[in-house]
């Protein structure tokens, strides 16, 4: 067989998966075209280098599908042990749900409900969106609407040129929109950040702000938009930027036909935390009210989000329990208290005596003290990627990779539900199926114990 004919045979065996969704960052680009040969992805057209690496290089041959105390076990035996271990706990925790589908998140809620467990995600301490929403509400829009309408876009504490490489091309900087036919030249781009980032290099206006001064800056903008009096010199000194710059930004926002404030962890994780996000949403509200009926505009706020399906987790928990994270089922019904029921706090207070970790790396997500405490209690870890918690776990399940090995649904940061189109097959189980099996075993244990 000549090398030419061998190539022709291989090409004939190749299949194409259109509209695959990349999960390497929060943009969830859903226009990737995958080429598959012999159960391997060999090309990912439309993907940026990060997503290409995710599709082509994500390790899919980890250890055994199930282990007990580090030793390989059959799935049945491991599932029995997991159910037994969790059912014996007085204060079990179900934690994670970042790198998985909404179907699996729903199965995790059922397990937590059955156990009377505390259920939390990294959203409770990394994503203030849920708390802010309850506090001041939110005027927001899909990324599609922002693409078609926003003629003034402010990136606050976010650097999408690096963190979400195709965001600018797809939604906020370059694309033609229905009401922005000239693409880039129809948009005025502002970056507010503590350092001159790659996104700042592309902006029309860069405002360098002192670290931790976001709240003051947003309050100044609120006052300028509402034409409220300011203690001027004090304001200048606090933010690190001259007041004229804030005046320029307030005027730009008020003059916009449609403004969009896109914020990231540089805002939500800086001093002030979720209060910064509340301030930004309050500014958006003020822009709608303006100084007078003539001086006001349409504006929206949108979190940029991080990797994984935390928006899906927040949505699933809300539609299942009424709360976006930190849900306690201990009383037999869902209760919510932002700080008291956050996994990090509960672990630091030594309340948890067993845990089920699903699709998140606790050593990355939690404080060192919380992660250390988690390492001391019997833990069941379910994940499609290797993580240190697997080495410490009593029971582990290694699962197929969502978006590559199996389908399902994820929610983009703006709440748009996107289907995953799996390209490959895997001998490993799907995480949601495992959780459903654990839940069925828990139901039997509970029925047995109540007889
Ligand atoms: S921007 Fe994000 S989701 Fe889109 S192709 Fe790149 S890594 Fe993947």
């Amino acid at each position: 067989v000549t090398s030419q004919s061998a190539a022709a045979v291989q090409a004939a065996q190749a299949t194409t998966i259109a509209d695959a969704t990349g999960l390497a960052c929060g943009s969830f680009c859903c226009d990737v075209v995958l080429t598959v040969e012999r159960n391997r992805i060999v090309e990912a057209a439309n993907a940026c280098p990060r997503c290409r690496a995710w599709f082509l290089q994500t390790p899919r041959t980890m250890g055994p599908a199930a282990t007990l105390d580090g030793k390989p076990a059959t799935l049945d035996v491991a599932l029995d042990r997991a159910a037994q271990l969790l059912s014996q706990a007085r204060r079990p925790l179900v934690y994670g749900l970042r790198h998985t589908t909404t179907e699996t998140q729903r199965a995790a809620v059922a397990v937590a409900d059955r156990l009377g467990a505390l259920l939390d995600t990294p959203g409770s301490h990394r994503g203030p969106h849920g708390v802010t929403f309850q506090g001041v509400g939110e005027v927001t829009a899909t990324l599609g609407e922002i693409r078609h309408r926003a003629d003034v876009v402010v990136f606050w504490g976010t650097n999408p040129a690096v963190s979400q490489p195709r965001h600018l091309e797809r939604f906020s900087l370059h694309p033609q929109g229905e009401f922005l036919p000239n693409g880039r030249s129809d948009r005025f781009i502002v970056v507010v950040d503590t350092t001159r980032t790659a996104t700042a290099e592309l902006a029309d206006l860069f405002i360098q702000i002192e670290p931790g001064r976001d709240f003051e800056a947003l309050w100044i903008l609120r006052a300028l938009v509402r034409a409220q009096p300011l203690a001027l010199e004090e304001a200048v000194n606090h933010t690190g930027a001259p007041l004229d710059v804030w005046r320029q930004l307030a005027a730009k926002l008020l003059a916009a036909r449609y403004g969009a404030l896109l914020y990231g962890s540089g805002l939500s994780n800086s001093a002030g935390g979720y209060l910064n996000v509340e301030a930004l949403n309050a500014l958006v509200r003020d822009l709608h009210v303006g100084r007078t009926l003539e001086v006001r505009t349409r504006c929206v706020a949108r979190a940029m989000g991080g990797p994984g399906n935390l928006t899906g987790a927040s949505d699933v928990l809300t539609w299942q329990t009424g709360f976006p994270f930190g849900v306690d089922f201990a009383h037999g019904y869902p209760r919510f208290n932002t700080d008291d029921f956050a996994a990090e706090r509960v672990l630091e207070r030594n309340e948890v005596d067993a845990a089920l970790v699903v699709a998140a790396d606790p050593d990355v997500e939690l404080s060192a003290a919380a992660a250390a405490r988690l390492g001391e209690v019997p833990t069941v870890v379910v994940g499609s990627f290797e993580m240190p918690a697997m080495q410490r776990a009593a029971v582990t399940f290694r699962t197929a990779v969502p978006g590559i090995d199996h389908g399902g649904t994820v929610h983009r940061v703006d709440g748009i539900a996107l289907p995953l189109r799996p390209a490959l097959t895997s001998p490993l189980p799907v995480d949601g199926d495992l959780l459903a099996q654990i839940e069925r075993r828990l139901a039997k244990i509970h029925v047995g114990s109540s007889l």
Side-chain angles (χ1 to χ4, degrees), residues 155-162 190-203 205-214 239-241 266-267 270:
F155 294 102
W156 197 304
T158 179
N159 184 15
V162 172
V190 183
V191 169
V192 181
D193 217 320
T194 54
T195 54
R196 182 175 276 276
T197 61
T199 308
E201 294 296 337
L202 305 170
L205 173 64
F206 168 56
I207 303 177
Q208 188 156 7
I209 188 171
E210 283 288 313
R213 294 296 180 184
D214 306 85
T239 66
L267 176 75
S270 81

Side-chain angles (χ1 to χ4, degrees), residues 20-34 43-57 160-170:
T21 301
L23 302 182
C25 83
S27 272
F28 286 1
C29 295
C30 51
D31 58 352
V32 180
V33 181
L34 301 174
E43 186 50 67
N46 296 339
C48 71
R50 181 187 303 186
C51 232
R52 197 169 184 283
W54 183 76
F55 275 118
L56 270 65
Q57 292 163 20
V162 172
S163 62
Q164 302 191 17
R166 292 184 65 211
H167 174 92
L168 299 173
E169 147 205 331
R170 296 181 68 216

Side-chain angles (χ1 to χ4, degrees), residues 157 161 284 334 361 425 435 445:
V284 169
D361 183 346
T425 54
L435 296 183
I445 292 171

Side-chain angles (χ1 to χ4, degrees), residues 16-351:
T16 302
I17 313 283
D19 300 330
T21 301
L23 302 182
C25 83
S27 272
F28 286 1
C29 295
C30 51
D31 58 352
V32 180
V33 181
L34 301 174
T35 306
V36 179
E37 288 175 11
R38 300 174 200 274
N39 206 32
R40 271 187 59 231
I41 299 171
V42 295
E43 186 50 67
N46 296 339
C48 71
R50 181 187 303 186
C51 232
R52 197 169 184 283
W54 183 76
F55 275 118
L56 270 65
Q57 292 163 20
T58 293
R60 299 173 52 259
T61 48
M62 303 191 300
T67 65
L68 285 182
D69 299 320
K71 298 188 180 63
T74 65
L75 273 181
D76 264 348
V77 169
L79 286 164
D80 284 344
R81 178 74 188 118
Q84 188 188 44
L85 183 156
L86 292 168
S87 67
Q88 287 168 349
R90 290 165 56 89
R91 187 67 165 139
L93 167 71
V94 177
Y95 179 74
L97 314 183
R98 183 194 280 274
H99 300 287
T100 191
T101 61
T102 53
E103 289 80 0
T104 298
Q105 291 159 349
R106 187 175 177 144
V109 175
V111 170
D113 190 6
R114 181 72 67 186
L115 279 171
L118 185 76
L119 171 64
D120 197 21
T121 75
S124 65
H125 51 104
R126 293 278 165 84
H129 168 265
V131 181
T132 302
F133 183 77
Q134 291 167 8
V136 296
E138 183 183 50
V139 183
T140 190
T142 63
L143 291 171
E145 185 173 337
I146 289 167
R147 168 192 171 129
H148 287 295
R149 293 180 183 275
D151 56 337
V152 175
V153 179
V154 180
F155 294 102
W156 197 304
T158 179
N159 184 15
V162 172
S163 62
Q164 302 191 17
R166 292 184 65 211
H167 174 92
L168 299 173
E169 147 205 331
R170 296 181 68 216
F171 301 117
S172 55
L173 184 70
H174 300 298
Q176 287 183 324
E178 190 173 346
F179 303 100
L180 305 159
N182 302 310
R184 174 67 183 94
S185 59
D186 279 342
R187 295 183 177 90
F188 188 84
I189 305 295
V190 183
V191 169
V192 181
D193 217 320
T194 54
T195 54
R196 182 175 276 276
T197 61
T199 308
E201 294 296 337
L202 305 170
D204 301 298
L205 173 64
F206 168 56
I207 303 177
Q208 188 156 7
I209 188 171
E210 283 288 313
R213 294 296 180 184
D214 306 85
F215 186 87
E216 285 94 324
L218 287 160
W219 229 249
I220 288 167
L221 283 168
R222 291 193 65 197
L224 291 169
V225 164
R226 300 289 295 266
Q228 298 292 318
L230 277 169
L232 299 186
E233 290 312 314
E234 195 184 348
V236 174
N237 292 337
H238 278 183
T239 66
L243 190 65
D244 272 351
V245 171
W246 298 118
R247 280 206 180 94
Q248 190 186 345
L249 178 54
K252 264 288 170 202
L253 285 167
L254 280 169
R257 276 183 295 139
Y258 188 113
L261 303 184
L262 307 178
Y263 63 92
S265 56
L267 176 75
S268 54
N269 289 351
S270 81
Y274 77 89
L275 291 176
N276 296 336
V277 182
E278 276 199 358
L280 183 129
N281 279 285
L283 170 63
V284 169
R285 196 176 53 191
D286 291 336
L287 285 159
H288 286 250
V289 176
R291 293 171 198 168
T292 65
L293 285 181
E294 290 72 40
V295 187
R296 62 181 185 174
T297 190
R298 175 96 173 103
C299 188
V300 296
R302 161 79 32 228
M304 290 292 287
N309 187 24
L310 276 186
T311 301
S314 162
D315 291 347
V316 169
L317 265 65
T318 304
W319 82 53
Q320 293 274 291
T321 73
F323 306 112
F325 47 74
V327 183
D328 188 13
F329 287 97
H331 287 205
Y333 55 87
R335 294 187 305 148
F336 175 71
N337 184 323
T338 318
D339 217 33
D340 262 12
F341 299 156
E344 200 162 88
R345 299 282 94 73
V346 177
L347 282 162
E348 286 167 358
R349 292 197 302 263
N350 276 354
E351 289 179 16

